[in-house]
Amino acid sequence: SKHSARQNISACLFLKDDEYLLPEWLAYHYTVLPLRHLVVAIDQNSSISPFPILQRWNNSTDMNITVWNDNNYISSEFSSDLQTGMEYQREMKYRFIAKCLNHHASNGRKWAVIFDTNEFILFNRPQTNEPRGKRKGKCTGNFEGVFVKEKLELPQNVKQTTSERKNLPTDGGMTIAEYLDREKYNLPWYTQPCIPIPRVLVEDSGVAGKDLVERDVPV
């Protein structure tokens, strides 16, 4: 179905060899957000191409998917000393996110979500038997992960959005975009430009490859 700009959401997605999650990820967020504008950056070291999946969605739905390469978000002045390793990957993602958010804003898109393909947004009320994730590390000022043994308290802004799940509509009652439009003058949506939201992380099954990527993808 068609949605107005106010009733749809944009996203930024960085991909590296987890394309086997794409069919379900796209279908879920197309419906629940609803996702209508997606910018995808593909890691240059990826071994499997996501193009067949992305192209089918572009051709058969009203979702607009744009694929960027390094030249779209990395300037020529970017240091070549960091071409490998985690530091380089982290810098690439930060630059992509900044450029992607600016791209969505310049096109008049109100809300944009930053994703990995193993992350699915939760849009349901908390359940009594719901498993709770534990934070196994914390971030220092320079975004370096530090492992700690004790259970960490959630930041206050995360606590607030997690608490908001109690006020969500019943399952299927509305999309996330419709909920945000309804709550636009309430906290935390009214005062915060960047809001962390609860997600479900999907773990790697250890199975991948071209056959799995293309399985059950509508043609």
Side-chain angles (χ1 to χ4, degrees):
S1 59
K2 301 293 183 180
H3 292 264
S4 69
R6 178 175 290 183
Q7 293 178 320
N8 63 57
I9 293 179
S10 307
C12 305
L13 177 67
F14 194 89
L15 272 176
K16 183 182 178 182
D17 287 341
D18 47 8
E19 288 82 356
Y20 62 95
L21 292 170
L22 259 183
E24 183 175 0
W25 188 94
L26 287 167
Y28 177 81
H29 292 104
Y30 178 86
T31 304
V32 172
L33 288 177
L35 180 59
R36 290 299 181 269
H37 300 279
L38 174 64
V39 176
V40 179
I42 302 172
D43 187 279
Q44 60 183 354
N45 296 314
S46 292
S47 59
I48 304 174
S49 173
F51 283 106
I53 298 170
L54 298 176
Q55 192 60 50
R56 288 173 187 174
W57 276 85
N58 251 342
N59 292 342
S60 60
T61 72
D62 57 337
M63 187 191 302
N64 175 263
I65 303 175
T66 304
V67 178
W68 284 359
N69 59 36
D70 296 357
N71 295 330
N72 292 109
Y73 57 93
I74 300 296
S75 66
S76 57
E77 294 81 18
F78 183 54
S79 173
S80 60
D81 298 334
L82 302 175
Q83 291 298 309
T84 59
M86 291 297 298
E87 188 176 356
Y88 174 71
Q89 292 294 328
R90 189 181 299 116
E91 183 67 19
M92 291 278 283
K93 286 191 78 169
Y94 289 163
R95 288 172 180 256
F96 165 66
I97 289 168
K99 193 70 177 284
C100 179
L101 292 177
N102 184 268
H103 167 78
H104 286 313
S106 65
N107 282 279
R109 296 161 192 165
K110 189 174 180 66
W111 288 99
V113 186
I114 302 166
F115 275 118
D116 287 332
T117 41
N118 67 336
E119 297 175 335
F120 289 69
I121 288 184
L122 284 173
F123 191 55
N124 63 310
R125 295 178 181 177
Q127 306 300 311
T128 55
N129 61 344
E130 186 174 286
R132 302 288 179 178
K134 294 182 179 180
R135 298 179 68 203
K136 297 181 179 179
K138 61 181 180 180
C139 288
T140 60
N142 61 353
F143 299 101
E144 292 290 337
V146 178
F147 179 79
V148 292
K149 292 183 178 179
E150 68 273 16
K151 183 178 179 181
L152 295 171
E153 284 293 318
L154 291 173
Q156 185 57 40
N157 57 351
V158 177
K159 285 183 178 180
Q160 188 172 14
T161 50
T162 301
S163 172
E164 279 298 306
R165 286 183 61 204
K166 299 174 184 177
N167 302 319
L168 290 176
T170 56
D171 294 348
M174 63 176 61
T175 65
I176 291 177
E178 290 168 339
Y179 173 78
L180 291 175
D181 190 54
R182 188 189 76 180
E183 298 293 315
K184 61 187 175 184
Y185 296 121
N186 297 325
L187 295 174
W189 320 106
Y190 184 63
T191 58
Q192 301 296 323
C194 184
I195 301 172
I197 49 180
R199 296 157 295 169
V200 170
L201 296 180
V202 178
E203 298 201 325
D204 189 347
S205 66
V207 181
K210 184 173 183 296
D211 292 338
L212 182 59
V213 167
E214 296 185 354
R215 187 177 65 191
D216 298 330
V217 179
V219 293

